[in-house]
Amino acid sequence: MQKKKRTTRRAVLMKTTYFLSLVTSSLQAQTPLPTHYCGACSTCLSIQKYKVAAASGHTVVLVDQSDEILKKSTKGIEESLKRVTKKKFADKPEAGAEFIEKTLKNLTTSTDAVAVVHSTDLVIEAIVENQEIKNELFKRLDKFAPEHTIFASNTSSLQITQLANSTTRQDRFGGLHFFNPVPMMKLVEDTPGFIVNRLLVPYMMEAVRLFERGDASKEDIDVAMKLGAGYPMGPFELLDYVGLDTSKYIIDGWHSLEPNNPLFAPSPLLNKLVKEKKLGKKTGEGFYKYK
């Protein structure tokens, strides 16, 4: 009897549909920040997960707030696949073309999260790092998703328990924190506390405070960490890459939980840049300007 159950479970998993919910217009409209998110914890990162899942043979539906964003995301996936096949199928261009075609057939897009979730086995959320907005999304999807559907959040700072409590499926809810670029990074965090970000975010914030105090320029701080610590990016380059809005949401959330912890103190400069909608690479300007 036990053997039969395992066999059935395996068959079901092989047919799993992966639903990556990004930004839904109805929820994003409620936040005062820009509604187009493509930072490390939103569209750009999730596109990588989307590609990997589809390339491994799973059916994937990418949900975002508009067809325009979805077309851009799909194009990005196709370009990424082409780069992969140049290395993976260097001596077999026909096999590479077949791989791309087969992968793209596993991908579909939608702007209607509720319609998609009806036939989904796994939901991976990667919207803006805001507790209220995430809870509202999960609460909404929970009403329409099948009972067996597993919910997961790609949050990098919020407590999974608080997110799970917005649903009726606490036993089918988990954290799944990917790192960018997904195909290259070997770590997927589901450890309570999110080890990497509990170390990384205070490090980036301290770099901002160092700059705010006038102790060093942002350029010198970035160069120092790259040459002295061997980091591929300096803290300001990384902040721009992640998205200043995402970083602000993280630090604001931690500060509300531990207001006396100096590591989680808000930054006036970061708040100012976000208010001015200078969110980093995705908007063309953050701590640095981008063409």
Side-chain angles (χ1 to χ4, degrees):
M1 186 69 180
Q2 189 176 5
K3 185 176 182 181
K4 184 177 181 181
K5 284 184 178 180
R6 281 200 294 265
T7 304
T8 303
R9 180 179 175 83
R10 189 181 300 114
V12 171
L13 289 175
M14 288 175 68
K15 298 179 181 178
T16 297
T17 299
Y18 283 79
F19 164 52
L20 282 74
S21 171
L22 300 186
V23 186
T24 55
S25 56
S26 60
L27 292 173
Q28 285 299 320
Q30 299 175 26
T31 176
L33 293 176
T35 58
H36 184 154
Y37 292 88
C38 56
C41 287
S42 191
T43 306
C44 291
L45 176 60
S46 292
I47 284 174
Q48 298 292 331
K49 294 182 291 191
Y50 180 51
K51 181 189 76 174
V52 171
S56 59
H58 297 291
T59 301
V60 180
V61 182
L62 175 65
V63 177
D64 215 315
Q65 62 181 11
S66 71
D67 289 327
E68 182 181 356
I69 294 174
L70 288 167
K71 287 179 182 178
K72 184 177 180 180
S73 299
T74 304
K75 183 179 179 181
I77 290 168
E78 187 172 0
E79 291 175 351
S80 180
L81 285 169
K82 288 178 180 178
R83 290 194 295 271
V84 170
T85 55
K86 281 185 179 180
K87 295 181 179 180
K88 188 174 181 179
F89 301 96
D91 301 325
K92 301 178 180 179
E94 292 183 0
E98 185 180 346
F99 171 74
I100 293 174
E101 182 181 0
K102 185 176 180 180
T103 300
L104 292 177
K105 282 183 178 179
N106 291 329
L107 310 178
T108 55
T109 61
S110 176
T111 56
D112 190 342
V114 170
V116 172
V117 80
H118 280 289
S119 57
T120 299
D121 299 306
L122 174 63
V123 174
I124 302 178
E125 164 275 320
I127 65 172
V128 60
E129 194 74 349
N130 180 288
Q131 180 83 53
E132 184 179 350
I133 296 176
K134 286 181 185 290
N135 281 348
E136 195 163 343
L137 173 63
F138 281 124
K139 184 177 180 180
R140 181 182 174 209
L141 295 181
D142 189 47
K143 296 177 181 178
F144 300 96
E147 186 178 350
H148 72 273
T149 303
I150 297 171
F151 282 10
S153 175
N154 191 62
T155 180
S156 58
S157 65
L158 302 175
Q159 293 181 354
I160 295 300
T161 301
Q162 292 184 359
L163 295 174
N165 286 341
S166 65
T167 74
T168 59
R169 58 188 75 219
Q170 288 88 346
D171 60 332
R172 285 150 287 147
F173 199 111
L176 204 60
H177 184 210
F178 290 86
F179 290 82
N180 202 17
V182 178
M184 303 298 294
M185 300 297 281
K186 296 179 180 180
L187 178 64
V188 178
E189 262 192 329
D190 61 359
T191 303
F194 300 108
I195 295 169
V196 171
N197 273 31
R198 285 301 295 260
L199 294 172
L200 184 63
V201 174
Y203 150 74
M204 293 191 295
M205 293 303 297
E206 186 56 29
V208 176
R209 296 184 191 105
L210 197 67
F211 176 50
E212 285 177 320
R213 293 194 298 266
D215 294 339
S217 68
K218 57 182 181 293
E219 292 84 2
D220 283 349
I221 295 170
D222 278 350
V223 170
M225 293 310 296
K226 286 189 287 187
L227 297 184
Y231 289 4
M233 288 185 183
F236 292 97
E237 292 173 320
L238 185 56
L239 280 161
D240 278 355
Y241 183 73
V242 168
L244 304 192
D245 51 336
T246 299
S247 301
K248 171 180 162 55
Y249 270 127
I250 292 172
I251 208 67
D252 285 351
W254 289 352
H255 179 66
S256 66
L257 293 173
E258 298 183 39
N260 296 322
N261 190 332
L263 292 175
F264 304 152
S267 159
L269 177 56
L270 181 62
N271 291 343
K272 177 177 179 293
L273 290 172
V274 172
K275 187 176 181 180
E276 294 172 351
K277 299 183 180 179
K278 297 175 181 178
L279 308 181
K281 293 192 72 173
K282 60 189 174 187
T283 59
E285 184 175 356
F287 285 103
Y288 295 111
K289 292 184 179 180
Y290 304 88
K291 295 182 180 180

